[in-house]
Amino acid sequence: MKQALKIFGFTIVVSVFYWYVSLWVPQKRTEPPEDIEIGANLTTEEMIPIGEEIVAGKGTCLTCHTMGDHGTGLRFPDLAGIGAIAGERVAGQSDVYYLAESMYDPNAYVLEGYVAGMPNVARPPIALTDQEILTVIAYLQSLGGTPTVTMDTQLEWQGQAPASQDVAPAAVGGNRDAETLFAAYLCNTCHTLDGTVAAGPTLQGLGGRMSRAEIYESIVDPDATVTEGFVAGVMTAMLDATGFHEQVSASELQALVDYLASL
């Protein structure tokens, strides 16, 4: 009887703890970035400022890329002067092809010294339209080069459906297991489970390094403790950009923490 009471009491304490920590999740409402209306008759010069706006906003490009400020360099290439060197990166590829591929199929070619992990920006949660990507290419070409792309430029990736293995956060819901949530919330975009380094620290063996409370904190307040060798603000920006804190439920958060603690 005493043992049963102890188990019951422990269960109550743990439940209250999870409820309390779940209150840390921000409750503010964040509206998703609005699509920019792009006319089919824009000139190349008119495309450039629109592309710049998308790079700094909806595209969340500056979350992981710098623009000449190497003092705060992140884990992806700096974009300063990319227009001058894009056509020289891969033999036989034009600058337009290289820049387009870097957004539609970013891991097809990874610059030496960097790691794979950038998501396809044409798919959720970023979900740039083909027209928006054309304007981004125009802007990137203008960074040290001569913009040549137009709204009529045809790219081989345009109109392609998302790969079936990718699950967008918007699809999260219902009764999903923790591993599915891990993929659905795009945690595997920046974190690996096999010990290799990507945009964020590997999660292999995480349960042996961090307590459940510390794992909770790393999700709801990623900048509270930053792993040595990584940059503060990146995970926070990604969670804000994808609307994670507005979508995740307390039960999903608990499931994710339990899953990570079990590693």
Side-chain angles (χ1 to χ4, degrees):
M1 182 64 178
K2 289 183 178 180
Q3 185 67 18
L5 288 174
K6 288 181 180 179
I7 294 174
F8 177 74
F10 176 76
T11 302
I12 294 298
V13 170
V14 171
S15 298
V16 171
F17 169 75
Y18 278 133
W19 169 81
Y20 174 74
V21 178
S22 71
L23 297 179
W24 300 350
V25 179
Q27 299 300 312
K28 67 179 181 179
R29 179 178 178 83
T30 300
E31 298 296 333
E34 295 183 0
D35 287 336
I36 299 174
E37 187 172 344
I38 299 175
N41 298 321
L42 290 177
T43 66
T44 299
E45 286 300 314
E46 291 171 333
M47 293 166 66
I48 294 172
I50 295 176
E52 182 177 11
E53 182 179 349
I54 292 171
V55 164
K58 180 181 178 181
T60 68
C61 308
L62 301 185
T63 297
C64 294
H65 293 279
T66 52
M67 196 72 75
D69 184 5
H70 297 283
T72 57
L74 303 182
R75 304 190 73 83
F76 290 94
D78 186 89
L79 297 179
I82 185 64
I85 59 179
E88 303 172 358
R89 281 275 170 83
V90 180
Q93 284 187 3
S94 68
D95 56 345
V96 173
Y97 186 98
Y98 174 82
L99 293 171
E101 183 183 65
S102 70
M103 287 182 273
Y104 285 105
D105 190 10
N107 297 317
Y109 171 78
V110 179
L111 190 64
E112 184 177 357
Y114 294 89
V115 296
M118 175 176 162
N120 180 336
V121 300
R123 298 205 286 260
I126 300 174
L128 296 187
T129 66
D130 292 333
Q131 291 71 31
E132 287 172 333
I133 288 176
L134 285 174
T135 65
V136 170
I137 292 174
Y139 169 62
L140 294 178
Q141 282 187 301
S142 75
L143 301 177
T146 302
T148 59
V149 70
T150 71
M151 293 304 298
D152 294 323
T153 298
Q154 296 297 307
L155 306 172
E156 65 179 70
W157 302 272
Q158 290 174 336
Q160 292 185 3
S164 60
Q165 67 267 27
D166 290 325
V167 183
V172 173
N175 190 18
R176 294 177 178 268
D177 60 60
E179 290 188 57
T180 301
L181 290 171
F182 185 80
Y185 280 119
L186 300 184
C187 307
N188 54 359
T189 297
C190 296
H191 299 283
T192 70
L193 302 176
D194 61 4
T196 57
V197 177
T202 180
L203 301 181
Q204 184 183 53
L206 185 66
R209 304 192 302 271
M210 298 176 67
S211 67
R212 278 180 166 77
E214 289 171 331
I215 294 173
Y216 258 113
E217 183 181 55
S218 70
I219 297 174
V220 300
D221 186 10
D223 293 329
T225 303
V226 180
T227 301
E228 184 177 356
F230 294 86
V231 180
V234 176
M235 182 171 171
T236 297
M238 289 299 290
L239 293 180
D240 288 346
T242 60
F244 172 81
H245 288 134
E246 284 69 46
Q247 297 181 60
V248 69
S249 67
S251 61
E252 288 175 342
L253 183 58
Q254 177 176 329
L256 283 169
V257 170
D258 289 342
Y259 171 62
L260 294 174
S262 73
L263 298 176

